[in-house]
Amino acid sequence: MDYKDLANIIFPEAKEISYYEEKYPRRNLPEGAIVTRVAPSPTGFVHVGTLYQALVARKMAEQTQGVFFLRIEDTDQKREIEKGTTDIVNSFNSFGIIPDEGMTSEIEGKGNYGPYKQSQRKEIYQAYAKYLIEQGKAYPCFCATEEVEQIRAKQENAKIRPGYYGVWAKCRNVTVEEAIKKIQNGEKYIIRFKSPGREDRKIKHHDVIKGNVDFPENDQDIVIIKADGLPTYHFAHAVDDHLMGTTHIIRGDEWLSSVPLHLQLFYELGFKAPKYAHIAPIMKNDNGNKRKLSKRKDPEAAVSYYAEEGIPSDAVKEYLLNIANSTFENWRRANPDKSMNEFDLQLNKMSVSGALFDMIKLLDVSKIVISKMTAEEVYEKSLEWAKKYDTDLEELLQDKDYALKVFGIERGNKKPRKDISKWADVKENISYMYDKEFEKNTEEYPFQVINNKEDIEKILKLYVEKYYDENDDKQMWFDKIKELAGEMGYAKEVKEFKANPDMYKAHVGDVSTVLRVALTKRTNTPDMYDIMQVLGKDSVVKRLEMFQ
Ligand code: GLU
């Protein structure tokens, strides 16, 4: 009886690994091409950190003419939820992060290196586990969970390093004969890796992001196949990334400490080890303390939050690039009109300790992104948002021609308006352009310098009766406001007023403000000439007369 017999008894059906090695040939890609992936678990919650990793991975593959794929890691079936894969696929799609290969729905995928869902790869893992057993590099472990817990308790009491290793790894020394007998007697078991490592020896590792790191070797006999026949993350990751031809493993830095184990697995399996790039988590400033964005405490940790708030996906992506490389900001300043896809992302320039997520900054980025959209795009995107989240806004947007005029104000020029940072702002932003909404507004008029009722009434009356003509061009329109100011005893030019403040009650700008407030109930609006053009004569006159 030898290891081969043991392996055959445990996995009688498993194929030779050569079958899989041939089935998934090395990829034929240009020199330097990065093959990478994102490998989330379908837990029903897509974390913005996962999106961030996917964005970085997608870009690195694109920049090097490589491949980016989506693998679903569902070997922990207790944590899985229904439609978890669909959630992930849809989230990435909605951000325009489209994998070249990988799962495309709950059960389907595309690409030649699949299946891309671990639960569909059971027989592949078993083949490689069998291969390790055949070589005496893995073994069945018959320890019950309670036994492993007892070992751990003993170690804790004695204040020694916990785990299943060295002398503590009881089943490591079970002979092949004994093991076979136990299996034939129906004893339950799992499969452990027989680690050749020693804790007192060090390994040197170069991480693409973290730089050089030293670790003690791994000496833990970790579980590779669980009682349910599925692999653990560690083992599955090695087998999958080998067969899928991954060159760079870009993943969260919570896995950095697993590198010694992973390198050992690659080595013992006879695989070429990939490069690792461990991304620091996105952090949040919580009253002066820096901490990870938390699924429990921070709504913005969920990818779904951005769609609900109406923050465009391009703005989120652009902001995540800001977080990824601090050089992005300068690049953007120098290239305001380029697509963010042209930015050359560098893995080795990513923050080692974790960049801060700043909502205010994100909204600033978003304002700029939206300011560059056409009126049509703003219309389509805000309508799409409104259909899901705000029926009042949806109703306002029914008249598309009018809405396009409203969104067209100060847009498409060199200095476009930057007053919308998310679709949830739109209603508040445009409501005054709709008579019904304007009339519903019961707030006081926020008049400024000129605030006595009599003067205001006079300005408005005179303007309607004598000066307003909807056919005036902008110059004429403004000249007339100056005339009106002069007629009412206000300075026609701000300069004049500043030179002789005692001679005037106020100046033409203050008269404009009266018109602006009467027309919109706001002190701050885009260009008033444009607003009046869009409102049209009836509405302008009605509004100006409403105050009188
Ligand atoms: N399923 C692992 C996770 O979600 C994947 C880590 C990796 O990218 O290898 O953290």
Side-chain angles (χ1 to χ4, degrees):
M1 291 281 193
D2 58 14
Y3 289 133
K4 245 190 149 66
D5 299 312
L6 178 60
N8 270 329
I9 285 174
I10 296 178
F11 295 120
E13 309 282 322
K15 292 193 173 67
E16 298 266 333
I17 62 165
S18 56
Y19 170 83
Y20 298 105
E21 298 292 327
E22 274 158 37
K23 182 171 177 193
Y24 304 110
R26 300 299 88 199
R27 294 172 183 271
N28 192 2
L29 293 168
E31 171 110 20
I34 289 182
V35 178
T36 188
R37 79 298 186 276
V38 65
S41 296
T43 57
F45 180 93
V46 187
H47 195 286
V48 68
T50 306
L51 182 72
Y52 178 52
Q53 283 173 28
L55 174 67
V56 170
R58 171 68 282 179
K59 253 189 107 43
M60 291 319 297
E62 215 149 74
Q63 285 173 197
T64 57
Q65 293 168 278
V67 177
F68 164 63
F69 62 88
L70 165 63
R71 182 171 69 228
I72 297 296
E73 303 211 326
D74 60 342
T75 58
D76 186 356
Q77 304 215 310
K78 288 190 291 288
R79 288 173 57 213
E80 199 177 335
I81 70 137
E82 218 188 313
K83 296 262 176 279
T85 300
T86 311
D87 278 351
I88 294 168
V89 169
N90 290 347
S91 297
F92 290 172
N93 272 344
S94 71
F95 281 88
I97 297 179
I98 314 294
D100 303 308
E101 298 171 10
M103 294 311 283
T104 50
S105 74
E106 213 56 38
I107 44 167
E108 280 159 279
K110 59 173 181 188
N112 296 331
Y113 291 80
Y116 294 90
K117 194 177 206 177
Q118 290 183 330
S119 57
Q120 297 172 358
R121 300 172 63 79
K122 205 166 164 174
E123 59 176 50
I124 303 179
Y125 305 121
Q126 298 191 346
Y128 283 86
K130 181 173 186 180
Y131 169 74
L132 287 181
I133 298 170
E134 282 170 356
Q135 297 180 67
K137 293 179 177 176
Y139 60 89
C141 168
F142 302 91
C143 293
T145 319
E146 303 82 66
E147 231 172 309
V148 176
E149 274 162 16
Q150 277 164 15
I151 295 177
R152 184 172 287 265
K154 260 195 210 163
Q155 291 165 328
E156 265 167 29
N157 279 340
K159 297 209 172 355
I160 43 185
R161 200 159 49 88
Y164 203 88
Y165 61 94
V167 293
W168 300 96
K170 216 175 105 190
C171 292
R172 188 181 239 254
N173 303 318
V174 172
T175 62
V176 168
E177 284 74 18
E178 265 178 277
I180 292 177
K181 210 180 282 158
K182 281 173 181 279
I183 293 170
Q184 283 166 344
N185 285 341
E187 277 192 44
K188 297 243 168 305
Y189 61 93
I190 52 169
I191 308 296
R192 285 188 187 270
F193 172 56
K194 192 187 275 179
S195 170
R198 275 183 28 197
E199 212 254 346
D200 58 352
R201 281 196 307 232
K202 288 241 176 310
I203 63 155
K204 283 194 185 311
H205 165 67
H206 180 79
D207 190 89
V208 182
I209 296 174
K210 304 275 177 180
N212 290 332
V213 246
D214 285 359
F215 294 102
E217 273 183 14
N218 171 65
D219 65 350
Q220 300 274 348
D221 284 2
I222 58 122
V223 177
I224 57 174
I225 303 283
K226 300 178 292 176
D228 59 5
L230 283 169
T232 52
Y233 161 68
H234 305 295
F235 186 59
H237 136 64
V239 171
D240 291 346
D241 282 316
H242 163 68
L243 291 177
M244 295 176 179
T246 307
T247 62
H248 287 63
I249 292 181
I250 301 173
R251 65 181 177 189
D253 70 2
E254 69 274 23
W255 296 111
L256 182 64
S257 60
S258 303
V259 163
L261 163 64
H262 293 169
L263 291 177
Q264 205 174 56
L265 282 168
F266 272 88
Y267 187 80
E268 295 303 320
L269 282 158
F271 302 158
K272 178 173 185 275
K275 291 203 162 73
Y276 284 94
H278 286 94
I279 300 190
I282 299 176
M283 308 295 278
K284 170 165 179 146
N285 186 342
D286 186 359
N287 287 324
N289 293 323
K290 212 171 153 184
R291 62 161 174 80
K292 280 191 200 182
L293 261 191
S294 137
K295 170 175 166 179
R296 226 166 13 89
K297 294 190 211 149
D298 310 311
E300 70 272 29
V303 164
S304 54
Y305 170 85
Y306 303 90
E308 284 156 22
E309 285 290 298
I311 302 175
S313 54
D314 272 356
V316 177
K317 274 187 352 191
E318 174 130 2
Y319 179 61
L320 291 177
L321 286 180
N322 263 287
I323 289 191
N325 272 183
S326 56
T327 47
F328 182 83
E329 204 164 346
N330 278 339
W331 177 86
R332 178 43 95 208
R333 217 170 286 134
N335 303 285
D337 299 321
K338 282 197 176 157
S339 151
M340 69 181 127
N341 297 338
E342 290 183 49
F343 175 69
D344 194 28
L345 185 73
Q346 312 243 285
L347 277 181
N348 59 6
K349 288 206 183 122
M350 290 188 71
S351 154
V352 171
S353 63
L356 271 183
F357 186 92
D358 178 351
M359 192 49 104
I360 295 177
K361 184 89 195 280
L362 165 60
L363 293 178
D364 273 348
V365 169
S366 185
K367 267 184 197 160
I368 296 171
V369 168
I370 295 177
S371 77
K372 289 181 189 158
M373 292 180 183
T374 61
E376 181 86 30
E377 271 177 282
V378 173
Y379 175 77
E380 293 300 341
K381 293 197 173 31
S382 42
L383 180 62
E384 192 186 317
W385 179 84
K387 280 184 177 155
K388 277 202 193 145
Y389 302 105
D390 188 342
T391 47
D392 290 347
L393 177 62
E394 185 187 358
E395 195 166 329
L396 279 189
L397 296 178
Q398 281 317 302
D399 182 348
K400 179 170 175 180
D401 289 343
Y402 186 72
L404 285 181
K405 284 192 210 154
V406 172
F407 289 130
I409 295 176
E410 283 187 36
R411 189 174 290 281
N413 51 7
K414 247 185 140 46
K415 274 189 78 191
R417 65 198 271 202
K418 294 198 184 66
D419 50 357
I420 304 175
S421 59
K422 47 184 194 272
W423 309 127
D425 292 345
V426 168
K427 187 167 68 190
E428 161 67 14
N429 229 283
I430 61 166
S431 58
Y432 66 86
M433 294 301 291
Y434 292 83
D435 286 346
K436 236 171 76 196
E437 295 299 309
F438 180 76
E439 283 159 23
K440 263 201 276 183
N441 182 352
T442 53
E443 282 163 35
E444 297 259 312
Y445 287 87
F447 287 112
Q448 304 283 301
V449 175
I450 304 173
N451 57 14
N452 74 79
K453 195 156 183 274
E454 216 173 294
D455 263 24
I456 292 169
E457 277 179 6
K458 247 194 236 161
I459 290 171
L460 300 178
K461 195 162 184 306
L462 210 54
Y463 183 68
V464 172
E465 283 172 2
K466 190 163 163 194
Y467 293 101
Y468 174 56
D469 180 343
E470 82 275 20
N471 297 318
D472 285 343
D473 65 13
K474 194 161 178 183
Q475 188 58 49
M476 179 67 95
W477 167 82
F478 193 53
D479 286 346
K480 286 188 174 172
I481 297 179
K482 285 186 186 171
E483 287 304 311
L484 166 68
E487 183 174 342
M488 293 281 304
Y490 297 102
K492 282 171 147 183
E493 307 283 345
V494 180
K495 278 204 305 273
E496 268 172 42
F497 177 74
K498 285 197 173 145
N500 299 297
D502 299 337
M503 273 178 62
Y504 304 99
K505 291 189 280 185
H507 60 71
V508 62
D510 301 315
V511 174
S512 286
T513 300
V514 168
L515 290 171
R516 186 187 306 277
V517 170
L519 281 170
T520 65
K521 285 208 178 178
R522 292 170 191 228
T523 49
N524 212 340
T525 69
D527 189 88
M528 186 162 54
Y529 176 76
D530 291 349
I531 289 180
M532 289 169 77
Q533 290 289 311
V534 173
L535 285 175
K537 184 173 179 184
D538 290 352
S539 172
V540 167
V541 171
K542 191 159 79 176
R543 290 180 185 209
L544 296 182
E545 284 177 347
M546 214 161 106
F547 183 79
Q548 297 167 41

